[in-house]
Amino acid sequence: MAASVSDRAVAAVVGSIVADAAAQGLHWVYDLEKLDTAVGGNAPEFHSPSACPFYTIDTGTNTAYGDQTFLVLQSLAQCKGLDVSDLKQRFYKYFGPGTAFDTGDQTTRPIKGPWRNGSIKTFLANMEAKKDNTGSDTDEQADGAAKVAPVVALCAGQPDMLSSVEAAVRVTQNHQVALAGALTNARILEALILHGKKEGVIEALMEELGRQDGQNITGQDETVAQQISEVQEQKSQGKPHREVVNKVFKSSCALPKQFQSALHCVVTHTDYVSAVRATILAGGDNASRACFVGACFGALNGLDGIPAESKNKCVRYQTVLDLAKTVVSLRESKK
């Protein structure tokens, strides 16, 4: 029996959070020689003990990217839709003072405990200053991509999909580059959820980005179209994904290169396992890329495409599955 849109939406959310957890033990390892030594020829998923040079947390738990995905998912399920005020309070309660993220000085590394990303620090400061606009105006890193999967699972095929993603991203980021990256991710994931295949998705997006009378889907449509063209060019050259990430687009958190590296993995792989593995082994900010890659191949391959071993090792798996089903049921009721 073919997977339904709802099945693909659920699998996209689960695939995103499982992939992030799988990458966590090798997160932010930029020295590929050290990464390879740590892996030792074994499967890189759920590497233990952590080889991350910035922070150490338990194997199977999520990075701060996956945490953001989870909080958005949880809020959507409990509020029965997008509630920005709830999302702000939820983020503050989870990342703020007195939490596991309140580790003090982050200069002595690796810290024992989770890592507060830059946009989260600005968000917390803005909340404490009681600002209505809580997002960072200067951060152009990959946090926005982490908020995409749950919102698209709820809103795929609906006219409010892009505006809902933008509202969720603006909780912590207002920079146009961050918004453009997240909205492009959202449009791609929406197509995969709705149609269940990669064929024609990028071509259709490129056509829409280039239409003078079309909706301005990212705020930077012409620039984003050029970025996607560069990914397509790299695909045509047939270079290994790891080489493209590290020598062409780079492996850092910064957009748009992070978006291009993640998209290259999506367009050059065919299944969840090989795509997530390639993402991890490319090093650097592999977890943020894994959020998007895992969502895309979750939608394409379904829950059965995510290995049982990975589901078992992901601490939040069952909770995420249940919440994702709740959110997707809300989408069905909106039809």
Side-chain angles (χ1 to χ4, degrees), residues 64-78:
Y65 296 118
D67 287 336
Q68 291 177 70
T69 309
F70 181 75
L71 292 174
V72 173
L73 175 66
Q74 193 179 57
S75 180
L76 293 174
Q78 294 181 6

Side-chain angles (χ1 to χ4, degrees), residues 8 27 214 218 247 258:
R8 291 192 290 269
H27 190 204
T218 72
K247 294 186 177 180
Q258 182 273 353

Side-chain angles (χ1 to χ4, degrees), residues 34-105:
K34 288 183 178 179
L35 188 151
D36 290 341
T37 298
V39 172
N42 298 311
E45 303 94 314
F46 298 94
H47 180 78
S48 182
S50 173
C52 176
F54 290 85
Y55 64 91
T56 56
I57 55 178
D58 291 341
T59 304
T61 57
N62 287 107
T63 74
Y65 296 118
D67 287 336
Q68 291 177 70
T69 309
F70 181 75
L71 292 174
V72 173
L73 175 66
Q74 193 179 57
S75 180
L76 293 174
Q78 294 181 6
C79 297
K80 301 186 183 336
L82 181 65
D83 184 326
V84 171
S85 295
D86 177 81
L87 203 53
K88 290 178 180 180
Q89 292 300 322
R90 207 172 285 265
F91 268 56
Y92 188 82
K93 184 177 179 180
Y94 189 85
F95 292 110
T99 68
F101 286 83
D102 198 7
T103 57
D105 184 13

Side-chain angles (χ1 to χ4, degrees), residues 197-225:
K197 60 182 182 178
K198 287 196 295 182
E199 291 74 21
V201 167
I202 299 302
E203 291 76 10
L205 176 59
M206 289 290 283
E207 182 178 349
E208 187 172 2
L209 288 168
R211 286 157 77 185
Q212 297 299 315
D213 60 343
Q215 61 173 322
N216 191 351
I217 70 169
T218 72
Q220 298 186 34
D221 285 9
E222 185 176 347
T223 300
V224 171

Side-chain angles (χ1 to χ4, degrees), residues 139-141 144-145 169 173-183 255:
D139 189 279
E140 52 186 65
Q141 300 197 49
V169 173
Q173 289 173 294
N174 285 317
H175 197 288
Q176 285 301 307
V177 171
L179 292 169
L183 292 172
L255 293 163

Side-chain angles (χ1 to χ4, degrees), residues 101-302:
F101 286 83
D102 198 7
T103 57
D105 184 13
Q106 290 186 324
T107 59
T108 302
R109 305 168 182 170
I111 63 170
K112 292 184 178 180
W115 187 268
R116 262 189 195 143
N117 294 353
S119 65
I120 295 296
K121 294 176 184 178
T122 302
F123 160 78
L124 294 174
N126 288 340
M127 284 288 286
E128 288 164 4
K130 302 187 183 308
K131 293 183 179 180
D132 292 333
N133 181 355
T134 56
S136 169
D137 294 327
T138 59
D139 189 279
E140 52 186 65
Q141 300 197 49
D143 297 68
K147 301 179 181 72
V148 166
V151 181
V152 176
L154 173 67
C155 301
Q158 303 296 323
D160 63 345
M161 190 277 289
L162 288 174
S163 62
S164 296
V165 170
E166 180 175 349
V169 173
R170 283 188 183 276
V171 168
T172 62
Q173 289 173 294
N174 285 317
H175 197 288
Q176 285 301 307
V177 171
L179 292 169
L183 292 172
T184 309
N185 284 346
R187 183 62 90 178
I188 293 168
L189 182 59
E190 178 188 44
L192 299 180
I193 288 173
L194 293 177
H195 306 299
K197 60 182 182 178
K198 287 196 295 182
E199 291 74 21
V201 167
I202 299 302
E203 291 76 10
L205 176 59
M206 289 290 283
E207 182 178 349
E208 187 172 2
L209 288 168
R211 286 157 77 185
Q212 297 299 315
D213 60 343
Q215 61 173 322
N216 191 351
I217 70 169
T218 72
Q220 298 186 34
D221 285 9
E222 185 176 347
T223 300
V224 171
Q226 179 58 40
Q227 293 162 6
I228 296 173
S229 293
E230 291 169 5
V231 174
Q232 291 178 308
E233 173 61 24
Q234 290 302 317
K235 178 189 176 184
S236 71
Q237 293 181 24
K239 298 175 184 175
H241 177 64
R242 191 185 205 192
E243 179 182 337
V244 172
V245 170
N246 285 277
K247 294 186 177 180
V248 180
F249 297 133
K250 308 306 179 186
S251 62
S252 78
C253 321
L255 293 163
K257 300 301 185 182
Q258 182 273 353
F259 158 70
Q260 291 176 296
S261 291
L263 182 59
H264 183 268
C265 188
V266 172
V267 300
T268 57
H269 289 77
T270 58
D271 66 278
Y272 185 92
V273 174
S274 68
V276 171
R277 189 165 292 175
T279 297
I280 296 171
L281 290 173
D285 190 26
N286 47 21
S288 70
R289 303 195 305 272
C291 285
F292 179 60
V293 171
C296 290
F297 284 98
L300 289 168
N301 298 157

